[in-house]
Amino acid sequence: MNAAVPGFLGVLMLDTRFPRPPGDVGNAQTYARAGIPVRFLTVQGASPRRIVEEADPRLVQPFVDAAVRLVAEGASMITTSCGFLAAYQDVLSQALPVPVLTSSLLQVQHCAQPGIVTFDAQSLTPQILQAAGVPAGTPIMGVRPGCEFHRRILDNDTVLDLAEAQRNVVEAALRLVQAFPSVERIVLECTNMPPYREAVAAAVGREVHDIETMILKAWRDNRPTPRQ
C-alpha cells in the first residue's frame, strides 16, 4: 500500500500574470496563514477575458481535466480562481468525488439580505447566478468598467495599483449599499477582491464574505482526511 498522501486544496487557476497580494485566491500565503495545504494548476489559455466576457465553452473540458488531475494527486477539495466559474459548478461536481467550490457566489443563498459586489456586472448573467443558487432579485453592483482593478485584470496586465484597486472595490460596495440600503451582508464575487475585504467592511459597516472566508469555513467543516 502506498504511503498516505495528505489531502490538499486544489486551485484551478486562470492563465494570468497580474499581481496577487495575500488574500487573493492565487497567492500561496493566503492558505499558509490558515494552515491549509494547497496546490495550484493553471488551465492554459484560460484568460480573464475568455472566462468573463466570452464565456468560452471550449474551456469547460480543460477545467474538468485539470480538476480530475488534482484529485488524482490527492486534492480533498477543489476551488477556482474566478467567481464566474460558478457556471462550471454542476459539471465539476458531477466529475469529481470531492467537494467543489467554484465561486464565492455559492454562499449568497445562505446569507440574510445579501448583496453582491462583482468584477463585471454586465457579464454576470442570470445563468451564472442560477448555477450558483443565487436567489432571484439579489442586488448586484460591479466595479466601474475601465477602472484600475477592472482594466488591469481583464487585460491580464503585469502591474496593478493595489491602493487604487482597493478604492475601486470599496467604491462599488458603497454604491451597492446606497442603492440597496436593505443589504445586510455583502458577498465579493471576484477571487481577487479578498485583499480588500476589511476595507470594504469598514466602509460599509456590513459583514463581508468572499472566496477566502468560504474556503476557510468549508475546509474546517469538511475536515479533509488523508487519501490512501
Side-chain angles (χ1 to χ4, degrees):
M1 181 179 293
N2 294 331
V5 178
F8 60 85
L9 175 69
V11 184
L12 299 172
M13 296 291 296
L14 269 61
D15 194 354
T16 61
R17 58 183 187 173
F18 53 79
R20 294 180 177 275
D24 188 294
V25 77
N27 186 313
Q29 294 181 44
T30 302
Y31 310 99
R33 64 191 186 187
I36 299 176
V38 66
R39 190 173 301 176
F40 304 98
L41 183 58
T42 297
V43 177
Q44 298 298 321
S47 69
R49 195 174 297 277
R50 286 184 71 188
I51 293 295
V52 174
E53 289 191 339
E54 300 174 12
D56 191 337
R58 293 172 295 180
L59 290 172
V60 175
Q61 192 58 48
F63 272 92
V64 172
D65 293 343
V68 168
R69 174 180 166 183
L70 284 170
V71 171
E73 293 174 354
S76 298
M77 186 180 294
I78 294 293
T79 191
T80 83
S81 73
C82 181
F84 281 72
L85 290 174
Y88 297 2
Q89 179 67 30
D90 286 346
V91 67
L92 286 171
S93 295
Q94 292 169 11
L96 304 173
V98 300
V100 178
L101 304 175
T102 52
S103 173
S104 179
L105 294 172
L106 295 171
Q107 63 193 317
V108 174
Q109 61 186 304
H110 305 298
C111 293
Q113 295 297 106
I116 297 169
V117 173
T118 180
F119 177 77
D120 192 320
Q122 183 175 351
S123 297
L124 190 58
T125 63
Q127 290 77 17
I128 295 174
L129 295 170
Q130 184 176 10
V134 174
T138 298
I140 298 171
M141 191 67 68
V143 297
R144 296 188 186 278
C147 69
E148 174 75 8
F149 182 79
H150 184 266
R151 182 179 74 258
R152 298 294 190 183
I153 291 176
L154 192 61
D155 290 344
N156 203 9
D157 209 338
T158 57
V159 296
L160 176 65
D161 183 330
L162 299 181
E164 181 62 20
Q166 176 171 292
R167 284 190 286 270
N168 298 156
V169 177
V170 168
E171 190 267 346
L174 286 170
R175 282 190 285 113
L176 174 69
V177 298
Q178 289 165 1
F180 304 97
S182 63
V183 167
E184 295 179 3
R185 290 174 174 81
I186 292 178
V187 174
L188 305 179
E189 167 273 318
C190 181
T191 62
N192 312 118
M193 289 181 178
Y196 319 116
R197 178 178 62 245
E198 293 182 2
V200 170
V204 301
R206 270 82 163 174
E207 287 186 22
V208 181
H209 306 270
D210 55 33
I211 190 70
E212 182 183 13
T213 62
M214 185 175 71
I215 289 171
L216 294 182
K217 183 180 186 303
W219 189 264
R220 289 194 303 265
D221 291 349
N222 283 274
R223 294 184 177 86
T225 55
R227 303 177 69 243
Q228 300 295 321

